[in-house]
């Protein structure tokens, strides 16, 4: 399976909830996806609003043949930077998470270690204005396995089921 084919298999699963962008995406990414949810809580009538809550998620997809640990760190830093640039914290902001999916042919052990150890997190006004976390998932097409950092475990399972429904395995 080629890198672009894998991306073409993954993107439709996000299409229902995310706004996907494949053209005009800033390098080094091949695609972006945004998700936004807004909820309100009120008492009896809408004018008596108690709370207003926003949660957002920004996904970035990168296609790299054989990334090194430095490449992983650079891609993660770039995705984190671009995702945080979109965040607008205020009293009703709950969270704005940033996720990066790296699709590759294969990775060496140093790159896999970099994936597992990558961690970014930010609080806004001590958490009163919400927070942002970073999720990272890597896919190795030759080995048919997915790896992730701690926060990317849910996405790892989803991507593994999409790309490798029977013969693939997830690497912890």
């Amino acid at each position: 399976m080629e890198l672009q084919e894998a991306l073409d298999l993954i993107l439709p699963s996000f299409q229902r909830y995310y706004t996907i962008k494949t053209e005009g995406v800033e390098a080094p990414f091949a695609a972006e996806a945004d998700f936004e949810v807004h909820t309100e809580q009120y008492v009896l009538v809408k004018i008596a609003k108690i709370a207003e809550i926003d949660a957002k998620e920004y996904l970035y997809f990168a296609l790299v043949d054989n990334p090194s640990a430095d490449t992983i760190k650079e891609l993660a830093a770039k995705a984190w930077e671009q995702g945080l640039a979109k965040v607008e914290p205020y009293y009703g902001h709950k969270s704005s998470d940033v996720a990066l999916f790296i699709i590759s042919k294969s990775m060496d052990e140093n790159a896999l270690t970099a994936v597992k150890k990558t961690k970014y997190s930010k609080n806004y006004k001590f958490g009163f204005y919400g927070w942002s976390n970073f999720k990272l998932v890597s896919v190795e097409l030759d080995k048919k396995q997915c790896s992730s950092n701690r926060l990317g475990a849910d996405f790892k399972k989803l991507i593994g089921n999409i790309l490798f429904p029977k013969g693939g395995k997830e690497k912890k």
Side-chain angles (χ1 to χ4, degrees), residues 13-155:
S13 65
F14 290 99
Q15 194 168 10
R16 182 177 221 172
Y17 299 105
Y18 292 79
T19 304
I20 298 173
K21 182 176 159 186
T22 56
E23 294 179 9
V25 177
E26 190 175 333
F29 304 113
E32 293 179 10
D34 296 343
F35 170 77
E36 184 174 332
V37 64
H38 176 81
T39 59
E40 294 179 351
Q41 296 174 345
Y42 51 88
V43 178
L44 298 177
V45 291
K46 285 190 176 186
I47 202 162
K49 192 183 303 184
I50 298 172
E52 188 175 351
I53 303 165
D54 286 325
K56 299 179 183 184
E57 201 163 50
Y58 306 107
L59 310 181
Y60 297 92
F61 299 86
L63 305 177
V64 184
D65 274 332
N66 297 305
S68 65
D70 291 336
T71 305
I72 300 288
K73 291 174 187 175
E74 290 170 13
L75 288 170
K78 185 75 172 168
W80 181 246
E81 177 186 321
Q82 285 187 16
L84 284 188
K86 297 178 182 180
V87 176
E88 297 174 13
Y90 72 102
Y91 69 94
H93 173 254
K94 177 185 173 198
S95 66
S96 292
D97 291 339
V98 179
L100 172 62
F101 298 88
I102 300 173
I103 302 170
S104 66
K105 286 287 188 185
S106 65
M107 287 188 188
D108 62 12
E109 281 302 315
N110 293 335
L112 289 173
T113 302
V115 167
K116 293 174 187 173
K117 291 188 175 187
T118 301
K119 181 181 177 185
Y120 292 112
S121 182
K122 181 172 180 152
N123 289 323
Y124 305 102
K125 294 197 178 182
F126 302 106
F128 290 115
Y129 276 32
W131 60 86
S132 293
N133 288 315
F134 186 72
K135 302 172 183 181
L136 177 59
V137 177
S138 69
V139 178
E140 290 182 87
L141 297 176
D142 289 346
K143 294 180 184 176
K144 294 187 176 182
Q145 68 182 17
C146 299
S147 301
S148 71
N149 66 354
R150 185 179 60 82
L151 294 173
D154 291 339
F155 278 137

Side-chain angles (χ1 to χ4, degrees), residues 4 8 78:
Q4 188 62 43
D8 292 340
K78 185 75 172 168

